[in-house]
Amino acid sequence: FKILVEKAHKLGLLVLIDLVHSHVSNNADDGLNGMDLGQAESESYFMTGERGYHRLWDSRLYCYRNYEVLRYLLSNLRWWLEEYNCDGFRFDGVTSMLYHHHGLDMSFT
């Protein structure tokens, strides 16, 4: 991927990474999903209750009020910038990050 980014830059192209910082896979064995260990929301990576679950994606949602979550997500951004020299990001699932209703059954027109 580093070579691809380097070649794109030589051609005058910018490289944007499509990131999913809105939710996490339900894979509790290999991913962050099992990292909450039953803690309170203030100490967990994820929100609790309905706000912490996206029914269409069948996935858990980050608790952005938690400092460790912000630190984790920001360090991920920094890694892409420093390790691969990417130029920017497109964030997937932004409505789920901004709205308690996750954008479900809503019209934004």
Side-chain angles (χ1 to χ4, degrees):
F1 187 72
K2 286 182 183 182
I3 294 169
L4 176 69
V5 172
E6 192 176 299
K7 288 189 181 212
H9 285 158
K10 286 181 182 174
L11 292 170
L13 299 172
L14 296 175
V15 177
L16 304 178
I17 299 294
D18 189 23
L19 286 178
V20 181
H21 279 181
S22 55
H23 64 105
V24 66
S25 164
N26 268 338
N27 182 351
D29 294 331
D30 301 316
L32 283 177
N33 195 342
M35 296 293 286
D36 65 348
L37 305 172
Q39 294 127 316
E41 185 174 288
S42 62
E43 300 171 349
S44 176
Y45 277 92
F46 309 103
M47 291 185 281
T48 57
E50 221 174 276
R51 287 185 43 214
Y53 179 74
H54 198 294
R55 61 181 160 87
L56 290 182
W57 299 337
D58 188 28
S59 59
R60 297 184 71 188
L61 304 173
Y62 289 111
C63 182
Y64 301 109
R65 291 185 307 257
N66 185 316
Y67 172 78
E68 289 301 324
V69 170
L70 297 178
R71 187 171 163 229
Y72 166 72
L73 296 175
L74 289 171
S75 71
N76 180 252
L77 296 175
R78 183 176 178 181
W79 184 79
W80 283 106
L81 294 172
E82 292 179 354
E83 185 70 24
Y84 290 102
N85 201 25
C86 295
D87 300 296
F89 306 98
R90 177 208 171 259
F91 293 95
D92 184 62
V94 171
T95 54
S96 184
M97 296 167 79
L98 296 175
Y99 302 107
H100 293 297
H101 53 64
H102 312 304
L104 298 174
D105 304 321
M106 302 300 292
S107 174
F108 290 98
T109 59

